Amino acid sequence: MTDVTAGRAEGVRSVQDNYLALVRKKRLYGGITLLIFIMLMLSGFQIANDRNAGGFLEGIPMFFDFPEGVIEEAWEKRGNLPGLLVKYFPALIETVNIAAVSTLVGAFGGIVLSLLSTRGLALWPRAIPLFRRVMDVMRALPEIVIALVLIFVLGGGPVPAMIAIAFHTAGALGKLFSEVAENADLKPVEGLSSVGASWGQKMLLGVIPQVAPNYVSYGLLRFEINIRASAILGFVGAGGIGYELRNSISWGQGKFDEAAAIFILLFGTIVVVDQVSSHFRNRLTKGAAL
Amino acid sequence: MTAASTNINDARIVAERLFSRKRTMAFGALAALIAYLTYIFFAFDIAGLAQRARLDNAVTLASDSWSYKTHVTRDNRFGAIEYAIEGERKGAYPEGRYPAWVTPGEQSTVVDLGNGQIATLLPDNRLTLELPEYGTVEMALVGRDVVTSFGDTPPDWTNISDSRATITLDGARVTFTRSKTELFRYFAGWELFFFTLDSPYNGAGLGTILFGDRVDPERANLAGAWQDFWSNGMWRHADVAWAIFETILMAFLGTFGAAMIALPLAFLAAKNFAPLGAARFAVRRVFDFVRGVDALIWTIILSRAFGPGVMTGTLAILITDTGTFGKIFSEALENVDDKQIEGVASTGANPVQRYRFGVIPQIVPVLLSQVLYFLESNTRSATIIGAITGGGIGLLLTQAIQTQKDWEEVAYYIVLIIIVVMLMDWLSGILRSRLIGRKD
């Protein structure tokens, strides 16, 4: 009897020891990882600070200077504000238009690329890796790179920005779309091929109706992102509200009321589009009709 | 019987109504799309694009991104001849060396411009060109005027005035002005990518460097080659590597810094953790505000305070992503399973232990996967923000584009950016599947 309890206690103890050793080891590894991470962060911030024109600590007090200056001037000239909002409204429309067209064009390109690179649906199954790599490269290229090069060739204006964003969008949406299309039911496609439908017909009638809600949802999300991208590209010379913002800011004091008006327009647009699009996306993913 | 057929009839009518409604909807959507694109066609002035487009710029860009030119320049005052790649001082041939297609002589220097086109630099600022299609052309500086033998009607591939003559040839160009005679010839490739002409390793093959005798008696081959490659003045490999590092640094610090700030705030914004409705509302509005202001405006505000550089870009990413992460994290926290927390609580754990063992293990995989996903997309953002605020590879890229002539460098940077972003994508994918234990 005593032997048995002793043996059991022995067994429990060895299990306990093993368990504790394991926990200690895990803690040690976790601790080392955490330590390395913290050191990376600290030294990273140190390097970032050293390689900046102005230091972090010196900059902190000045952080609010610019917003303060803008708000002060906007408040002094608050009578101008409604007029300025109207003045810059067309530029805002241009920015939204760039985002909308590039989302449409990019989504169309994304649909084609995604169908060409999905197993079971692809027109040329052997070319699937090729189309996937093409999408990877399209996604990896920042819009600003294409925009700057195109501005050199096509001159400033909305078209370079539109092409640049559409190019990136096609790659980004293509990947997401192809993940959706992979889960599509192939029975309608088989049915269509049994009546002799071409590849285009099979995709248009067999696949697209199944995946459309998800595609529209991703497209709306992309539209939100593209409005921001379109404003940024305007800032480097591609027209729209970003361009006006750059002009009014580089003018400095005296045009800050205009900058404030543009800030308000941009902020308002982004918030409104985010809200509206997330409302529709929620409905789409929950299966309700638009 | 009749009841059944009425039912069928009713059903048919309903179905037909549905069909016709769907058809109208489909055609309506298509018509709206076409109308919108037509409006865009005029709003963006696509028709006028053909006039605004600079096709010559496109040609320069396309040819310059994969080729280089070597200049042969004679100073028309002193008669000295210099050879330089891209006409840059850093690409100049050292004294006494010259390209293989140039034959310097006592009196005259013969320059083979390719495709049977031969230029001869003669004393007294004279130049003859032998062109296979056209014949021989003579040019000279007489007094202060540039005189050519083209006569009154020069061909359209020339541009002649008293002070200047420019002749565009097949793969080469000749420019004759009062101060200098400049010939240049195009070649394919990125010349001097590894070593500039003043380096002894220029022209040495990989085999020579790895296994051959010492090229430079002072230094070991590999160390010396690396040193010369790294300090290459034309391609500035060291600067480019730094710029890439800075861009990755911005993305890394911004993403993880934002995650670290957003996590505690997310607890305040999650319904099941924050009992105070007012605080929850306030934190959520802060997240919305920070996201709505957008990276562009943050970048502008920050660069006013901190000046251009890495820190500014880092903070711009950090602030914007704090809003995004806050929203994602608080949603993840609201989906936490209460059973696990209750289980930990039933063992007598205090609140801190309940969070540590009940909540954190549930959300960490979700959060880390999101953070890693953002790390990749922020590498791209860091390039863009760098172009605006001035830091990292984005700055080098905008500088190279602004010169409007270093397109080979632009091409090089673009390739590097693509590689880096794809590497980050791959790395974050690997880490994500490791952490979550599944492939995505």
Side-chain angles (χ1 to χ4, degrees):
Chain A
M1 187 70 187
T2 39
D3 268 12
V4 174
T5 10
R8 197 175 286 164
E10 189 77 2
V12 167
R13 202 172 302 128
S14 82
V15 167
Q16 199 178 21
D17 285 351
N18 278 339
Y19 174 72
L20 284 179
L22 213 65
V23 166
R24 266 197 298 275
K25 204 166 149 193
K26 213 178 157 192
R27 272 199 195 142
L28 184 70
Y29 284 165
I32 290 174
T33 316
L34 199 67
L35 201 71
I36 291 175
F37 178 73
I38 290 171
M39 274 164 61
L40 273 178
M41 288 294 281
L42 286 179
S43 59
F45 267 112
Q46 193 58 48
I47 294 171
N49 203 22
D50 290 346
R51 292 190 65 88
N52 212 56
F56 181 67
L57 292 176
E58 299 93 83
I60 287 282
M62 302 193 306
F63 180 75
F64 292 103
D65 284 0
F66 176 61
E68 229 172 62
V70 170
I71 293 170
E72 248 170 43
E73 197 174 324
W75 184 248
E76 269 168 34
K77 302 183 190 167
R78 57 188 176 276
N80 291 345
L81 213 54
L84 287 173
L85 288 180
V86 172
K87 180 182 167 194
Y88 287 115
F89 194 68
L92 177 71
I93 292 295
E94 184 166 69
T95 293
V96 175
N97 271 337
I98 292 172
V101 177
S102 54
T103 310
L104 282 173
V105 174
F108 183 74
I111 289 174
V112 174
L113 279 171
S114 73
L115 296 178
L116 285 172
S117 62
T118 308
R119 269 185 299 260
L121 299 177
L123 182 55
W124 306 288
R126 277 160 182 276
I128 287 176
L130 173 74
F131 284 114
R132 291 211 169 159
R133 291 295 89 71
V134 168
M135 286 195 299
D136 285 349
V137 170
M138 286 169 92
R139 254 180 318 129
L141 254 182
E143 295 104 341
I144 206 164
V145 174
I146 310 172
L148 285 173
V149 171
L150 282 179
I151 287 172
F152 175 67
V153 175
L154 298 176
V159 180
M162 197 256 293
I163 298 173
I165 301 176
F167 190 78
H168 179 78
T169 302
L173 283 182
K175 189 190 179 206
L176 295 171
F177 284 178
S178 120
E179 278 164 16
V180 174
E182 237 160 43
N183 296 323
D185 188 2
L186 288 179
K187 285 197 188 103
V189 182
E190 282 163 22
L192 282 162
S193 38
S194 75
V195 296
S198 70
W199 183 77
Q201 286 167 331
K202 275 190 274 186
M203 294 301 124
L204 192 63
L205 302 169
V207 181
I208 298 291
Q210 293 186 56
V211 294
N214 277 321
Y215 278 22
V216 173
S217 166
Y218 278 136
L220 283 172
L221 186 66
R222 199 68 221 177
F223 179 57
E224 292 174 35
I225 299 170
N226 283 352
I227 285 194
R228 294 153 189 251
S230 151
I232 288 183
L233 291 190
F235 202 77
V236 296
I241 196 122
Y243 184 69
E244 304 291 345
L245 181 62
R246 186 200 183 96
N247 285 348
S248 64
I249 283 182
S250 52
W251 185 275
Q253 213 119 32
K255 270 199 175 182
F256 276 170
D257 52 334
E258 307 204 350
I262 295 169
F263 278 144
I264 292 171
L265 281 174
L266 193 56
F267 178 70
T269 313
I270 288 174
V271 169
V272 166
V273 169
D274 276 15
Q275 292 297 330
V276 171
S277 131
S278 87
H279 169 77
F280 280 120
R281 276 189 291 127
N282 275 335
R283 296 193 67 161
L284 277 169
T285 43
K286 283 181 184 135
L290 288 172
Chain B
M1 185 66 192
T2 32
S5 66
T6 3
N7 270 349
I8 289 173
N9 263 341
D10 282 352
R12 213 188 66 204
I13 289 166
V14 170
E16 272 174 1
R17 210 172 283 153
L18 195 71
F19 276 149
S20 76
R21 207 180 67 118
K22 287 215 160 171
R23 204 176 297 144
T24 331
M25 283 271 285
F27 279 110
L30 198 65
L33 184 69
I34 290 173
Y36 179 66
L37 289 179
T38 317
Y39 154 69
I40 289 299
F41 185 84
F42 291 106
F44 285 6
D45 192 19
I46 307 264
L49 196 66
Q51 282 131 46
R52 271 178 289 137
R54 298 279 311 272
L55 280 181
D56 50 333
N57 278 356
V59 171
T60 319
L61 193 162
S63 61
D64 204 41
S65 58
W66 58 269
S67 69
Y68 69 96
K69 54 189 193 295
T70 306
H71 293 230
V72 176
T73 313
R74 178 174 64 183
D75 190 314
N76 281 351
R77 278 188 209 97
F78 306 105
I81 298 178
E82 280 174 2
Y83 311 95
I85 282 162
E86 294 288 357
E88 288 180 35
R89 186 171 296 278
K90 283 169 289 189
Y93 279 76
E95 192 68 43
R97 279 175 62 193
Y98 44 84
W101 38 276
V102 175
T103 324
E106 277 297 305
Q107 291 293 314
S108 60
T109 300
V110 181
V111 181
D112 181 358
L113 294 176
N115 299 322
Q117 304 161 134
I118 292 171
T120 313
L121 290 159
L122 296 164
D124 303 328
N125 290 335
R126 282 181 301 134
L127 169 74
T128 59
L129 287 174
E130 283 162 45
L131 307 176
E133 307 264 304
Y134 189 83
T136 307
V137 179
E138 283 181 33
M139 304 166 87
L141 190 63
V142 179
R144 299 269 300 142
D145 286 344
V146 176
V147 181
T148 69
S149 66
F150 281 118
D152 293 333
T153 51
D156 56 0
W157 35 269
T158 61
N159 189 354
I160 314 274
S161 73
D162 279 351
S163 61
R164 180 185 193 88
T166 310
I167 301 162
T168 311
L169 301 171
D170 193 4
R173 188 188 285 198
V174 176
T175 310
F176 198 115
T177 65
R178 281 168 186 158
S179 61
K180 64 185 179 186
T181 312
E182 191 169 44
L183 315 164
F184 53 75
R185 183 175 167 186
Y186 287 96
F187 295 92
W190 288 351
E191 186 62 355
L192 309 183
F193 184 77
F194 294 104
F195 306 109
T196 42
L197 288 164
D198 53 5
S199 159
Y201 301 98
N202 183 279
L206 187 65
T208 323
I209 290 171
L210 283 181
F211 309 111
D213 299 331
R214 280 197 173 188
V215 177
D216 182 357
E218 302 279 310
R219 299 173 293 181
N221 265 353
L222 211 55
W226 175 254
Q227 199 179 5
D228 282 8
F229 169 76
W230 201 237
S231 58
N232 183 331
M234 285 288 267
W235 288 88
R236 303 189 296 159
H237 295 294
D239 293 347
V240 173
W242 248 112
I244 292 271
F245 171 74
E246 281 182 357
T247 301
I248 296 175
L249 189 70
M250 279 193 248
F252 173 79
L253 293 178
T255 314
F256 284 101
M260 274 156 39
I261 294 172
L263 187 59
L265 288 176
F267 277 97
L268 290 178
K271 220 176 275 170
N272 43 347
F273 291 100
L276 227 76
R280 199 165 67 222
F281 182 81
V283 174
R284 283 192 179 179
R285 290 297 83 79
V286 169
F287 286 157
D288 285 347
F289 175 76
V290 165
R291 267 181 327 126
V293 168
D294 190 34
L296 172 63
I297 299 174
W298 285 123
T299 311
I300 294 167
I301 294 175
L302 288 164
S303 62
R304 290 265 164 164
F306 300 107
V310 188
M311 185 56 106
T312 310
T314 302
L315 290 175
I317 294 175
L318 193 149
I319 292 177
T320 322
D321 276 5
T322 302
T324 318
F325 281 152
K327 186 164 182 276
I328 296 174
F329 289 3
S330 65
E331 278 165 9
L333 282 172
E334 281 176 0
N335 291 327
V336 159
D337 190 356
D338 283 336
K339 289 200 188 96
Q340 207 163 323
I341 308 171
E342 281 166 23
V344 175
S346 73
T347 63
N350 61 30
V352 174
Q353 285 167 331
R354 249 178 281 164
Y355 281 119
R356 168 65 186 85
F357 296 103
V359 182
I360 297 286
Q362 285 193 56
I363 56 166
V364 157
V366 184
L367 303 194
L368 267 181
S369 137
Q370 285 290 344
V371 169
L372 286 171
Y373 176 72
F374 269 80
L375 181 64
E376 180 254 331
S377 90
N378 277 341
T379 315
R380 219 171 16 239
S381 306
T383 316
I384 296 176
I385 289 172
I388 298 172
T389 178
I393 193 77
L395 176 67
L396 285 190
L397 186 78
T398 39
Q399 281 174 345
I401 290 178
Q402 269 158 12
T403 62
Q404 301 206 341
K405 63 186 183 59
D406 297 328
W407 293 107
E408 69 284 354
E409 278 171 36
V410 174
Y412 174 48
Y413 299 151
I414 290 177
V415 170
L416 278 179
I417 290 170
I418 293 178
I419 290 174
V420 166
V421 175
M422 283 171 82
L423 263 180
M424 295 299 271
D425 190 13
W426 173 77
L427 196 72
S428 93
I430 283 187
L431 283 175
R432 261 182 296 167
S433 58
R434 272 276 173 83
L435 285 166
I436 309 168
R438 67 176 158 81
K439 279 261 176 217
D440 57 356

